[in-house]
Amino acid sequence: MQPLPPSHVYQQHPGNMPPPGGMMPPQGMPPGAMPFRKRPSEADTLPKHIKKKRPTDKNIPQQIETFIPEAKLYKELIEFEKKLDATILRKRLDIQEALGKPSKVRHTLRLFVSNTASDQTSHTEQDGTFDLNSGITPNWTLRIEGRLLDSTQKIESTPKITSFFRSIVVELERDPNLYPEGNYIEWQKQPNSPEFDVVEIKRKGDVNVNAKIILNVDHNPPKFKLSPVLADLLDAKIETKPQIVMGIWNYCKNHKLQDAEDKRIIRCDNRLAQIFGFPQLHFSQLPELISQHLSRPDPIVIDYTIRVDKPFHQSSKIYDIEVELDSAVRQKMLHIVSSTQTQKEIMGLDDKIIQCVQSINNSKIKRDFLLQFSKEPVEFINKWIASQARDLEVILGESKVNLEELRQSDFYKQPWMKEAVFHYLTAKTQQRMQELLGLQPPPPPQSLPPSNMN
């Protein structure tokens, strides 16, 4: 049965009552000045409670199948959804595990270097004079651009040229006294900074300039240049740190350099002893020991002459650089893992299903209520009133006597009633006598419940 809504009942007691909170104000302070915090009502806390608890039950009661045979199909869909969720979760875990492993595809980045010259002074061989009053400053612009060569694997979003480099430096061979703006130009990649397709450097000048372009490739994960002895051991000049450690470990296993009892201890042969300087070492020491044999990879250096004798000049050479990109499959997997739109749609549909199931359960409760009422109205109403009375007692939490029984006259004709009246009158008489003698009155008498009477 549905309980009645909770209500607030305040019972008055005789005698001096302390203010709210059970604290008496200090002497000299008015009672109204005593600060206290208001207790929140159940109506205020109910909406918060509802917001915190999100219903998740999507099961239909079994009794509904007797009225709606189609409910079996819904149960079959629920079971199929559980299997589908388990499969999707397993696949997502597989994708996350695959993303943890490096999956790079090598491509070729082709660079083109050129320059343009504008507002250059025109020399005339006949009179050997030129105009100084034109007010135009000759200048030139250096351009560095590139593109990825066509590959068998399709790239969804072509990265820009600056995404492949950690820094780009251009050094100019000019007289610093004539050009105080400086001959050293540097671009460095910053976190969350935009990328560019073309790098342009514009400077003043009317003579040819030799330039040195220094490109530092940005490797992800970072790669290091190996020392000559370590490179000869692993047959690699540039490699990542995990691959270097794995290569040394494979070398030790192939040459049986592991200790017989503890496989983590390496007994160095002549080549390893020459590299690390120890007759034996622990495997956990490898990352620290190889650090002294690693350095940053050498930059790519391009020599170029900026010519101003014609409006456009391009280098006769092209430069191919090997770069690594994430595979297209990895990009799709990243998109699947990071996408949340599909998950939000599924959660929205789940909420609608839960609401429909709750509506069905409420309709079933109403149907059972009305069906029982239609069969035996009088008996059903009496049981319903008694149930509501018990629920009210639970809510109030104060009375131990059924309130519905107190309304009946037979309740006061029971054998224990005379004794209860005698005890009540005796207590009232003693209270009155103490009041006349000027003593503090005792607590008010309370009638005993029937279970405590002899």
Side-chain angles (χ1 to χ4, degrees):
M1 306 300 294
Q2 296 294 326
L4 292 176
S7 59
H8 298 281
V9 178
Y10 301 96
Q11 186 174 5
Q12 296 182 356
H13 298 280
N16 297 326
M17 293 184 63
M23 297 176 60
M24 295 295 294
Q27 295 183 358
M29 179 182 292
M34 189 70 179
F36 65 93
R37 182 166 47 184
K38 183 180 179 181
R39 182 180 179 182
S41 62
E42 295 182 10
D44 296 335
T45 58
L46 187 59
K48 298 179 182 179
H49 179 67
I50 293 176
K51 290 181 182 178
K52 290 181 181 179
K53 286 192 66 176
R54 180 175 175 269
T56 57
D57 189 12
K58 296 192 294 184
N59 298 322
I60 295 180
Q62 189 174 3
Q63 297 83 355
I64 294 182
E65 294 184 4
T66 58
F67 311 115
I68 308 175
E70 291 81 1
K72 295 181 179 180
L73 299 177
Y74 175 78
K75 283 193 171 183
E76 294 178 0
L77 287 175
I78 291 294
E79 295 298 326
F80 179 77
E81 183 187 20
K82 291 180 180 178
K83 295 179 181 179
L84 185 61
D85 289 342
T87 304
I88 292 175
L89 179 60
R90 186 172 64 253
K91 291 298 181 183
R92 289 180 69 91
L93 293 176
D94 293 341
I95 290 175
Q96 291 178 355
E97 183 180 359
L99 289 175
K101 301 177 181 179
S103 177
K104 299 287 185 178
V105 178
R106 293 184 177 182
H107 295 272
T108 301
L109 175 65
R110 178 159 292 178
L111 293 181
F112 304 90
V113 182
S114 62
N115 75 275
T116 59
S118 59
D119 301 330
Q120 297 296 323
T121 305
S122 58
H123 296 271
T124 307
E125 296 182 357
Q126 288 79 4
D127 54 5
T129 61
F130 55 91
D131 188 6
L132 293 176
N133 300 322
S134 61
I136 299 176
T137 304
N139 59 82
W140 50 261
T141 301
L142 175 65
R143 290 172 58 90
I144 305 172
E145 51 191 329
R147 61 181 176 86
L148 289 174
L149 298 183
D150 295 337
S151 59
T152 57
Q153 189 173 11
K154 182 180 178 182
I155 303 176
E156 294 184 357
S157 58
T158 304
K160 301 182 184 298
I161 180 176
T162 55
S163 63
F164 296 104
F165 301 102
R166 187 177 69 253
S167 66
I168 300 176
V169 178
V170 177
E171 296 180 357
L172 304 176
E173 295 181 3
R174 301 188 302 178
D175 187 357
N177 297 324
L178 297 178
Y179 301 97
E181 57 188 1
N183 296 328
Y184 186 86
I185 304 102
E186 182 179 12
W187 171 87
Q188 288 188 351
K189 179 180 290 186
Q190 301 295 333
N192 302 322
S193 61
E195 305 291 351
F196 305 97
D197 286 323
V198 181
V199 177
E200 291 187 350
I201 300 173
K202 186 175 182 180
R203 290 294 184 270
K204 300 175 184 179
D206 57 356
V207 295
N208 296 344
V209 180
N210 292 327
K212 181 182 290 186
I213 303 171
I214 303 173
L215 306 173
N216 291 295
V217 181
D218 185 18
H219 297 283
N220 187 20
K223 290 188 175 183
F224 300 90
K225 177 184 176 182
L226 282 66
S227 63
V229 289
L230 187 59
D232 181 62
L233 178 73
L234 302 179
D235 193 18
K237 295 182 179 180
I238 298 177
E239 195 52 82
T240 60
K241 208 168 186 177
Q243 291 298 324
I244 295 172
V245 174
M246 184 59 65
I248 296 176
W249 182 249
N250 291 332
Y251 175 84
C252 296
K253 290 195 297 183
N254 294 333
H255 291 77
K256 299 180 180 180
L257 301 180
Q258 296 172 281
D259 187 76
E261 297 181 356
D262 191 351
K263 299 296 183 179
R264 296 173 298 175
I265 297 178
I266 301 173
R267 299 189 179 276
C268 301
D269 58 1
N270 294 333
R271 300 181 70 182
L272 288 180
Q274 181 184 1
I275 295 173
F276 301 116
F278 297 99
Q280 71 176 21
L281 53 90
H282 198 274
F283 178 76
S284 60
Q285 297 175 310
L286 277 180
E288 182 180 356
L289 293 175
I290 65 174
S291 298
Q292 57 185 344
H293 295 276
L294 304 180
S295 59
R296 281 191 172 184
D298 295 332
I300 300 170
V301 180
I302 300 174
D303 292 323
Y304 177 74
T305 300
I306 302 171
R307 298 183 58 177
V308 298
D309 55 349
K310 50 185 178 180
F312 177 77
H313 172 68
Q314 187 173 9
S315 175
S316 59
K317 300 178 182 179
I318 57 175
Y319 307 92
D320 289 344
I321 302 174
E322 190 178 80
V323 295
E324 293 181 345
L325 294 175
D326 290 336
S327 63
V329 177
R330 180 182 176 85
Q331 294 176 0
K332 291 181 180 179
M333 290 192 298
L334 283 172
H335 178 72
I336 292 173
V337 173
S338 60
S339 178
T340 58
Q341 183 63 29
T342 304
Q343 192 67 19
K344 290 181 180 179
E345 294 178 1
I346 294 176
M347 291 181 63
L349 294 175
D350 285 342
D351 291 339
K352 291 181 180 180
I353 293 175
I354 292 172
Q355 292 176 3
C356 292
V357 171
Q358 287 181 342
S359 177
I360 293 174
N361 291 336
N362 294 336
S363 299
K364 179 184 178 299
I365 293 174
K366 293 179 182 178
R367 180 186 179 278
D368 295 342
F369 181 88
L370 297 175
L371 185 62
Q372 294 178 10
F373 177 75
S374 63
K375 291 180 179 179
E376 298 179 358
V378 177
E379 183 179 357
F380 178 77
I381 289 296
N382 291 334
K383 291 181 179 179
W384 183 75
I385 291 175
S387 174
Q388 293 295 315
R390 287 193 297 270
D391 294 340
L392 181 60
E393 292 175 12
V394 173
I395 294 172
L396 297 179
E398 295 178 356
S399 175
K400 297 183 180 179
V401 182
N402 194 328
L403 298 179
E404 185 63 25
E405 294 179 359
L406 291 176
R407 301 177 182 178
Q408 306 293 332
S409 60
D410 294 338
F411 178 79
Y412 302 96
K413 297 179 181 179
Q414 299 184 39
W416 54 267
M417 182 58 64
K418 292 183 179 180
E419 186 176 356
V421 171
F422 171 77
H423 287 289
Y424 178 77
L425 294 177
T426 303
K428 293 292 289 184
T429 303
Q430 292 178 357
Q431 178 184 358
R432 183 58 179 167
M433 291 176 62
Q434 291 179 359
E435 289 178 357
L436 294 175
L437 295 175
L439 299 177
Q440 185 178 2
Q446 295 182 356
S447 59
L448 297 177
S451 59
N452 295 338
M453 293 298 179
N454 294 326

